[in-house]
Amino acid sequence: MGSLRRVPYSTVLFDLDHTLFDTDASEAAAFAATMASVGIEDPTSVFPAYDRINQALWRAVERGETTPNELRLTRFEQFVAAAKLDADPTEMADRFVEGLGSFGELYEGALGVLEALSGHTSLSLITNGLGQVQRERVRRLDIADVFDSIVISAEVGVSKPDPAIFDIVFDHIGEARRSDAVIVGDSLDSDMAGGVNAGIDTCWYNPNGKAGRAELPLDLEVQSLATLPDVLL
Ligand SMILES: [Mg+2]
C-alpha cells in the first residue's frame, strides 16, 4: 500500500474496458461479425494473430507512438497482411468499430456498484479508446447520466498514463477534487501508472489475482467490483 488512505473518496475515476465492461465479449462478437463479412466462418482460427497485433498497437498508444484513430485502421492493415487475406482493411475496420459499439455488456453487478457509489461520490469515466466506440457503448448501456465527466482518449488527443488526460477530467469536474480522488482500473500500465503520474490514489481492479509491481506502489486493490462501496466510501 502506498499513501495514506483518503476514505471516503469524493471522486472516483473509472476505466471502462475490462473494468466495468466485458470488452473480451464485445471484441469477440465484433471480430466474428467482421470475419464473417470477409468469408471467414471460424474467427477463432485467426483471432490470435489479430489479438497480438491489436495489443501491440495499444501498447504503442500508451507509449505515445501512435494514436487510437490511427490504430483503428492499422490493426486491420497489419492483420490482412499477416493473415494473407484478400480483403479491404478499411471496410473491416469500419465494420469492427461498429460491432464494438453494438456488442458487449457491463460486467454483472457493475451497474449496481456505479449506482451505489453515485449517491456518495462524483464519478467520471476516463478511457483509452475510440470516440465512436465508447460513445455508442455508453449510450446503449444508458450509463451517461451516472458520470460527471466522460473523457475518451481519441477525442482529446492524449491517453492514459499521460497525466494530461487526467488534467482534462479535473478541468471538467474541478481541480479541487484531485486531492481526494481515486482511479479504479484493471491496467497497471495505463490506469495505475496514470493515477500515480496524476498524483491521485490508485485502486487496482485485479479479478484474476495477478502479481503487482514493486516499482508501482498502489493504494488499494480489489478482486471484485462488489467490494468497491465498502473500500471507497
Ligand atoms: Mg481497462
Side-chain angles (χ1 to χ4, degrees), residues 17-18 21-35 43 47 50-51 54-55 58 71 75-76 96 99-101 103-105 133 137:
D17 286 298
H18 297 117
F21 183 75
D22 188 348
T23 307
D24 289 340
S26 176
E27 282 185 351
F31 190 74
T34 305
M35 292 305 103
F47 184 76
Y50 166 80
D51 194 44
N54 184 51
Q55 292 206 27
W58 278 110
L71 166 151
R75 59 188 172 189
F76 283 100
F96 185 64
L100 289 178
F103 300 118
E105 302 298 329
V133 171
R137 287 171 172 171

Side-chain angles (χ1 to χ4, degrees), residues 10-167:
S10 77
T11 305
V12 182
L13 312 186
F14 271 101
D15 171 51
L16 183 62
D17 286 298
H18 297 117
T19 296
L20 296 171
F21 183 75
D22 188 348
T23 307
D24 289 340
S26 176
E27 282 185 351
F31 190 74
T34 305
M35 292 305 103
S37 76
V38 296
I40 297 175
E41 295 304 335
D42 178 17
T44 58
S45 64
V46 288
F47 184 76
Y50 166 80
D51 194 44
R52 268 195 302 279
I53 290 166
N54 184 51
Q55 292 206 27
L57 285 170
W58 278 110
R59 286 196 292 274
V61 169
E62 288 168 8
R63 295 192 300 269
E65 296 167 6
T66 186
T67 68
N69 289 324
E70 288 171 350
L71 166 151
R72 182 188 190 285
L73 177 59
T74 44
R75 59 188 172 189
F76 283 100
E77 289 175 338
Q78 292 184 14
F79 173 69
V80 163
K84 300 186 171 63
L85 299 180
D86 179 20
D88 180 352
T90 302
E91 282 178 19
M92 292 172 81
D94 288 347
R95 185 167 294 247
F96 185 64
V97 159
E98 206 177 288
L100 289 178
S102 315
F103 300 118
E105 302 298 329
L106 295 173
Y107 288 127
E108 194 175 345
L111 185 61
V113 168
L114 291 175
E115 286 169 346
L117 292 171
S118 70
H120 305 275
T121 68
S122 167
L123 303 180
S124 289
L125 197 64
I126 179 168
T127 167
N128 284 358
L130 299 170
Q132 180 189 346
V133 171
Q134 305 299 48
R135 292 284 168 197
E136 176 57 18
R137 287 171 172 171
V138 166
R139 186 204 64 74
R140 180 172 57 82
L141 300 167
D142 198 20
I143 53 173
D145 290 348
V146 171
F147 299 110
D148 294 325
S149 176
I150 295 174
V151 175
I152 302 169
S153 65
E155 293 182 344
V156 297
V158 280
S159 300
K160 297 175 286 185
D162 189 330
I165 191 170
F166 291 80
D167 293 345

